[in-house]
Amino acid sequence: PTYEQVCSGSTGHTEAIQVTFDPSVVSYEKLVHLAMDRLGENKYLLNQVGNDKGTQYRHGVYYHNDAQKEVASKIIDSFGDDCRTECKPAGKWYDAEDYHQQYLLKGGQSAKKNDNYAIRCYG
């Protein structure tokens, strides 16, 4: 699907990032904790992150194997029944169009490690 189709909320897809990592450098558990930390209070909102609302803005951890599922489920469950972050198997991945790649960097935002500035949305 195109970005515009996903933004319509009618395709069943979600905007997401795919993380490739070296487990000898950082654990999957650490990455899931980091993702949940970055979600902040949004983890309690259904189909919403910040001011972005709709099914394409649902948040989740999408695992690739049973070990990842166990780790992600345990962490997500630790936030209680009100947590709306989904935990589901990873499905087919679709890259965004080129113009939407490196979106933050193209908008003049830092993508550097340990940058403490809040992410700003722009359109």
Side-chain angles (χ1 to χ4, degrees):
T2 66
Y3 177 68
E4 286 76 19
Q5 290 169 328
V6 171
C7 285
S8 76
S10 63
T11 67
H13 295 86
T14 186
E15 289 192 39
I17 61 169
Q18 181 169 239
V19 178
T20 302
F21 69 101
D22 181 345
S24 70
V25 176
V26 63
S27 69
Y28 181 76
E29 181 178 17
K30 174 78 173 170
L31 292 172
V32 175
H33 276 294
L34 179 62
M36 295 302 288
D37 180 63
R38 294 291 170 99
L39 270 174
E41 293 303 304
N42 291 301
K43 68 178 70 76
Y44 299 106
L45 302 175
L46 182 63
N47 298 330
Q48 181 177 349
V49 176
N51 291 324
D52 294 326
K53 298 177 183 179
T55 57
Q56 71 273 26
Y57 296 113
R58 66 187 176 275
H59 34 87
V61 177
Y62 306 102
Y63 54 85
H64 292 271
N65 57 50
D66 288 340
Q68 288 182 351
K69 177 183 180 181
E70 184 177 333
V71 168
S73 293
K74 182 179 176 183
I75 293 168
I76 291 169
D77 289 349
S78 74
F79 292 98
D81 291 338
D82 290 337
C83 181
R84 298 295 177 238
T85 303
E86 60 185 21
C87 184
K88 293 185 173 183
K92 183 172 180 176
W93 179 261
Y94 297 91
D95 286 334
E97 291 88 347
D98 286 343
Y99 76 89
H100 210 70
Q101 297 289 333
Q102 301 298 322
Y103 182 77
L104 297 178
L105 188 62
K106 288 176 183 175
Q109 296 186 60
S110 174
K112 293 180 182 175
K113 185 177 181 179
N114 296 322
D115 192 315
N116 291 323
Y117 286 99
I119 294 173
R120 302 177 316 274
C121 292
Y122 58 94

mmCIF file of all heavy atoms in Angstrom, residues 1 6 18 24 38 58 64 71 73 81 89 92-93 110 116 119-120 123:
data_model
loop_
_atom_site.group_PDB
_atom_site.id
_atom_site.type_symbol
_atom_site.label_atom_id
_atom_site.label_comp_id
_atom_site.label_asym_id
_atom_site.label_seq_id
_atom_site.Cartn_x
_atom_site.Cartn_y
_atom_site.Cartn_z
ATOM 1 N N PRO A 1 0.830 -1.203 0.000
ATOM 2 C CA PRO A 1 0.000 0.000 0.000
ATOM 3 C C PRO A 1 0.870 1.261 0.000
ATOM 4 O O PRO A 1 1.987 1.235 0.500
ATOM 5 C CB PRO A 1 -0.781 -0.120 1.303
ATOM 6 C CG PRO A 1 0.108 -0.921 2.193
ATOM 7 C CD PRO A 1 0.831 -1.877 1.284
ATOM 8 N N VAL A 6 -2.319 4.040 3.492
ATOM 9 C CA VAL A 6 -2.202 3.687 4.912
ATOM 10 C C VAL A 6 -2.775 4.806 5.777
ATOM 11 O O VAL A 6 -3.488 4.551 6.751
ATOM 12 C CB VAL A 6 -0.733 3.387 5.288
ATOM 13 C CG1 VAL A 6 -0.573 3.243 6.797
ATOM 14 C CG2 VAL A 6 -0.246 2.132 4.575
ATOM 15 N N GLN A 18 11.078 -0.689 11.588
ATOM 16 C CA GLN A 18 11.651 -2.023 11.705
ATOM 17 C C GLN A 18 13.073 -1.851 12.224
ATOM 18 O O GLN A 18 13.843 -1.076 11.658
ATOM 19 C CB GLN A 18 11.653 -2.722 10.344
ATOM 20 C CG GLN A 18 12.201 -4.114 10.389
ATOM 21 C CD GLN A 18 11.955 -4.873 9.103
ATOM 22 O OE1 GLN A 18 11.326 -5.905 9.133
ATOM 23 N NE2 GLN A 18 12.430 -4.379 7.989
ATOM 24 N N SER A 24 24.509 -9.102 20.438
ATOM 25 C CA SER A 24 25.736 -9.070 21.235
ATOM 26 C C SER A 24 26.025 -7.650 21.722
ATOM 27 O O SER A 24 26.861 -7.439 22.591
ATOM 28 C CB SER A 24 26.927 -9.617 20.445
ATOM 29 O OG SER A 24 27.296 -8.726 19.399
ATOM 30 N N ARG A 38 9.680 5.232 25.388
ATOM 31 C CA ARG A 38 9.471 6.324 24.432
ATOM 32 C C ARG A 38 7.991 6.569 24.155
ATOM 33 O O ARG A 38 7.594 7.685 23.856
ATOM 34 C CB ARG A 38 10.203 6.042 23.113
ATOM 35 C CG ARG A 38 11.707 6.037 23.251
ATOM 36 C CD ARG A 38 12.227 7.436 23.526
ATOM 37 N NE ARG A 38 13.612 7.455 23.900
ATOM 38 C CZ ARG A 38 14.612 7.733 23.078
ATOM 39 N NH1 ARG A 38 14.372 8.008 21.819
ATOM 40 N NH2 ARG A 38 15.848 7.716 23.518
ATOM 41 N N ARG A 58 -1.850 2.902 15.717
ATOM 42 C CA ARG A 58 -1.794 2.007 16.874
ATOM 43 C C ARG A 58 -0.325 1.661 17.123
ATOM 44 O O ARG A 58 0.501 1.742 16.228
ATOM 45 C CB ARG A 58 -2.635 0.760 16.636
ATOM 46 C CG ARG A 58 -2.128 -0.160 15.541
ATOM 47 C CD ARG A 58 -3.147 -1.267 15.301
ATOM 48 N NE ARG A 58 -2.762 -2.126 14.213
ATOM 49 C CZ ARG A 58 -3.031 -1.873 12.919
ATOM 50 N NH1 ARG A 58 -3.672 -0.772 12.570
ATOM 51 N NH2 ARG A 58 -2.661 -2.723 11.991
ATOM 52 N N HIS A 64 9.190 -11.768 15.964
ATOM 53 C CA HIS A 64 9.563 -12.676 14.877
ATOM 54 C C HIS A 64 9.695 -14.129 15.316
ATOM 55 O O HIS A 64 9.862 -15.011 14.472
ATOM 56 C CB HIS A 64 10.869 -12.215 14.232
ATOM 57 C CG HIS A 64 10.723 -10.932 13.493
ATOM 58 N ND1 HIS A 64 10.356 -10.871 12.171
ATOM 59 C CD2 HIS A 64 10.862 -9.651 13.892
ATOM 60 C CE1 HIS A 64 10.287 -9.610 11.780
ATOM 61 N NE2 HIS A 64 10.588 -8.844 12.815
ATOM 62 N N VAL A 71 9.272 -12.269 25.655
ATOM 63 C CA VAL A 71 9.876 -11.057 26.226
ATOM 64 C C VAL A 71 8.912 -9.879 26.084
ATOM 65 O O VAL A 71 8.636 -9.157 27.052
ATOM 66 C CB VAL A 71 11.216 -10.745 25.547
ATOM 67 C CG1 VAL A 71 11.707 -9.346 25.899
ATOM 68 C CG2 VAL A 71 12.256 -11.789 25.912
ATOM 69 N N SER A 73 5.641 -9.764 25.494
ATOM 70 C CA SER A 73 4.394 -9.931 26.251
ATOM 71 C C SER A 73 4.605 -9.618 27.727
ATOM 72 O O SER A 73 3.782 -8.933 28.354
ATOM 73 C CB SER A 73 3.869 -11.357 26.116
ATOM 74 O OG SER A 73 3.460 -11.615 24.804
ATOM 75 N N ASP A 81 -3.671 -3.775 32.666
ATOM 76 C CA ASP A 81 -4.778 -3.997 31.724
ATOM 77 C C ASP A 81 -5.119 -2.763 30.898
ATOM 78 O O ASP A 81 -5.737 -2.890 29.834
ATOM 79 C CB ASP A 81 -6.030 -4.461 32.469
ATOM 80 C CG ASP A 81 -5.879 -5.863 33.047
ATOM 81 O OD1 ASP A 81 -5.024 -6.626 32.550
ATOM 82 O OD2 ASP A 81 -6.623 -6.178 33.994
ATOM 83 N N PRO A 89 2.444 -11.124 16.035
ATOM 84 C CA PRO A 89 3.521 -11.561 15.136
ATOM 85 C C PRO A 89 3.770 -10.522 14.048
ATOM 86 O O PRO A 89 2.826 -9.870 13.577
ATOM 87 C CB PRO A 89 2.993 -12.853 14.525
ATOM 88 C CG PRO A 89 1.673 -13.128 15.123
ATOM 89 C CD PRO A 89 1.281 -11.989 15.993
ATOM 90 N N LYS A 92 4.021 -9.112 6.927
ATOM 91 C CA LYS A 92 4.815 -8.679 5.782
ATOM 92 C C LYS A 92 5.170 -7.204 5.955
ATOM 93 O O LYS A 92 4.327 -6.391 6.331
ATOM 94 C CB LYS A 92 4.027 -8.884 4.490
ATOM 95 C CG LYS A 92 4.833 -8.516 3.264
ATOM 96 C CD LYS A 92 4.144 -8.884 1.976
ATOM 97 C CE LYS A 92 5.048 -8.454 0.840
ATOM 98 N NZ LYS A 92 4.561 -8.823 -0.458
ATOM 99 N N TRP A 93 6.409 -6.863 5.666
ATOM 100 C CA TRP A 93 6.919 -5.503 5.810
ATOM 101 C C TRP A 93 6.860 -4.783 4.468
ATOM 102 O O TRP A 93 7.245 -5.346 3.436
ATOM 103 C CB TRP A 93 8.357 -5.521 6.315
ATOM 104 C CG TRP A 93 8.931 -4.159 6.443
ATOM 105 C CD1 TRP A 93 9.750 -3.525 5.549
ATOM 106 C CD2 TRP A 93 8.703 -3.229 7.503
ATOM 107 N NE1 TRP A 93 10.044 -2.263 5.994
ATOM 108 C CE2 TRP A 93 9.412 -2.056 7.198
ATOM 109 C CE3 TRP A 93 7.967 -3.265 8.682
ATOM 110 C CZ2 TRP A 93 9.413 -0.939 8.023
ATOM 111 C CZ3 TRP A 93 7.976 -2.171 9.501
ATOM 112 C CH2 TRP A 93 8.690 -1.025 9.180
ATOM 113 N N SER A 110 17.192 16.013 14.504
ATOM 114 C CA SER A 110 18.334 15.148 14.730
ATOM 115 C C SER A 110 17.892 13.694 14.829
ATOM 116 O O SER A 110 16.876 13.382 15.425
ATOM 117 C CB SER A 110 19.056 15.540 16.012
ATOM 118 O OG SER A 110 20.080 14.617 16.296
ATOM 119 N N ASN A 116 18.366 14.355 22.973
ATOM 120 C CA ASN A 116 17.310 14.518 23.965
ATOM 121 C C ASN A 116 16.163 15.404 23.507
ATOM 122 O O ASN A 116 15.225 15.633 24.260
ATOM 123 C CB ASN A 116 17.895 15.089 25.266
ATOM 124 C CG ASN A 116 18.794 14.082 25.953
ATOM 125 O OD1 ASN A 116 18.509 12.895 25.944
ATOM 126 N ND2 ASN A 116 19.884 14.554 26.517
ATOM 127 N N ILE A 119 10.646 14.683 19.524
ATOM 128 C CA ILE A 119 10.311 14.559 18.108
ATOM 129 C C ILE A 119 9.158 15.486 17.791
ATOM 130 O O ILE A 119 8.163 15.527 18.508
ATOM 131 C CB ILE A 119 9.942 13.090 17.775
ATOM 132 C CG1 ILE A 119 11.183 12.210 17.964
ATOM 133 C CG2 ILE A 119 9.380 12.968 16.369
ATOM 134 C CD1 ILE A 119 10.889 10.718 17.828
ATOM 135 N N ARG A 120 9.311 16.261 16.721
ATOM 136 C CA ARG A 120 8.266 17.188 16.290
ATOM 137 C C ARG A 120 7.626 16.642 15.009
ATOM 138 O O ARG A 120 8.320 16.165 14.132
ATOM 139 C CB ARG A 120 8.867 18.554 15.985
ATOM 140 C CG ARG A 120 9.600 19.189 17.129
ATOM 141 C CD ARG A 120 10.242 20.520 16.713
ATOM 142 N NE ARG A 120 10.919 20.527 15.448
ATOM 143 C CZ ARG A 120 12.197 20.167 15.251
ATOM 144 N NH1 ARG A 120 12.915 19.730 16.254
ATOM 145 N NH2 ARG A 120 12.742 20.228 14.067
ATOM 146 N N GLY A 123 4.086 18.808 8.608
ATOM 147 C CA GLY A 123 3.439 18.278 7.411
ATOM 148 C C GLY A 123 3.507 19.208 6.269
ATOM 149 O O GLY A 123 3.939 20.291 6.303
#
